[in-house]
């Protein structure tokens, strides 16, 4: 595996999530596994860091105003609400390496604590401004499936941020 370099790394930039699809071993496809309009971003930097977060767009708001997860209000919410919020959002960050059309994410922090210290391998394809990441087969409800996430580039290594007043 190689450390990504800015010269030949087409993943560098910020990508917006377009869709998340489950493809089962029997050929069944669930096109909206994270809802019809999932929201998310993945960022790859030239120095080998990455971060991703995504969620369902139809998440139910919490029953109380919560400004921080560290407040007593968060701790007083019903367990069902907390579970719903947790299971409709996913995030992790760390470093990454490239090898051919495979990107390996080394997880340093994650919304799912068990992922910290693990690696997540994804195959990828690039088609103009679209990036497709595909997981290896995993068991989902007792059936083997791969998950395909389609991203659209919104920023790349040559872009600059403009601020309007």
């Amino acid at each position: 595996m190689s450390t990504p370099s800015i010269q030949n790394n087409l993943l560098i930039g910020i990508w917006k999530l377009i869709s998340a699809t489950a493809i089962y071993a029997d050929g069944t496809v669930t096109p909206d596994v994270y809802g019809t309009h999932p929201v998310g971003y993945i960022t790859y930097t030239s120095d080998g860091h990455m971060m991703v977060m995504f969620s369902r767009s139809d998440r139910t708001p919490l029953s109380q105003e919560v400004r921080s997860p560290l407040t007593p209000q968060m701790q007083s919410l019903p367990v069902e609400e907390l579970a719903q919020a947790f299971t409709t959002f996913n995030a992790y960050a760390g470093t990454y390496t490239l090898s051919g059309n495979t990107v390996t994410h080394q997880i340093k922090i994650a919304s799912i604590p068990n992922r910290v210290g693990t690696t997540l391998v994804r195959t990828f394809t690039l088609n103009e401004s679209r990036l497709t990441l595909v997981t290896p087969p995993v068991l989902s409800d007792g059936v083997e499936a791969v998950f395909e996430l389609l991203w659209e580039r919104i920023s790349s290594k040559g872009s600059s941020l403009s601020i309007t007043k």
Side-chain angles (χ1 to χ4, degrees):
M1 299 218 187
S2 63
T3 300
S5 70
I6 197 164
Q7 290 82 13
N8 60 6
N9 183 352
L10 297 175
L11 295 184
I12 295 170
I14 302 170
W15 305 80
K16 181 180 179 181
L17 185 61
I18 303 301
S19 66
T21 303
I23 304 165
Y24 298 93
D26 66 1
T28 305
V29 175
T30 302
D32 301 325
V33 72
Y34 235 65
T36 55
H37 301 288
V39 178
Y41 295 93
I42 190 166
T43 302
Y44 290 102
T45 68
S46 61
D47 64 353
H49 289 86
M50 63 78 55
M51 65 177 74
V52 62
M53 62 177 62
F54 58 94
S55 73
R56 295 183 61 95
S57 61
D58 59 355
R59 297 173 80 202
T60 304
L62 300 175
S63 61
Q64 297 179 39
E65 185 64 29
V66 176
R67 300 259 181 225
S68 167
L70 306 176
T71 62
Q73 292 93 341
M74 181 66 100
Q75 304 306 315
S76 69
L77 288 171
V79 172
E80 296 78 17
E81 273 188 61
L82 295 172
Q84 188 275 336
F86 179 80
T87 60
T88 57
F89 180 81
N90 188 22
Y92 63 86
T95 58
Y96 72 101
T97 53
L98 295 173
S99 179
N101 72 330
T102 300
V103 59
T104 302
H105 300 156
Q106 294 85 24
I107 311 306
K108 308 294 183 201
I109 186 171
S111 59
I112 301 171
N114 304 42
R115 284 185 160 178
V116 174
T118 66
T119 59
L120 299 176
V121 177
R122 307 290 186 249
T123 58
F124 68 88
T125 55
L126 284 164
N127 184 0
E128 296 180 14
S129 65
R130 298 275 174 114
L131 168 65
T132 303
L133 294 175
V134 180
T135 69
V138 295
L139 281 181
S140 177
D141 294 329
V143 180
E144 196 172 85
V146 298
F147 293 90
E148 182 179 285
L149 283 78
L150 176 62
W151 306 86
E152 184 170 55
R153 184 185 297 278
I154 61 169
S155 173
S156 64
K157 60 188 172 195
S159 68
S160 62
L161 180 64
S162 63
I163 300 173
T164 58
K165 294 182 180 183

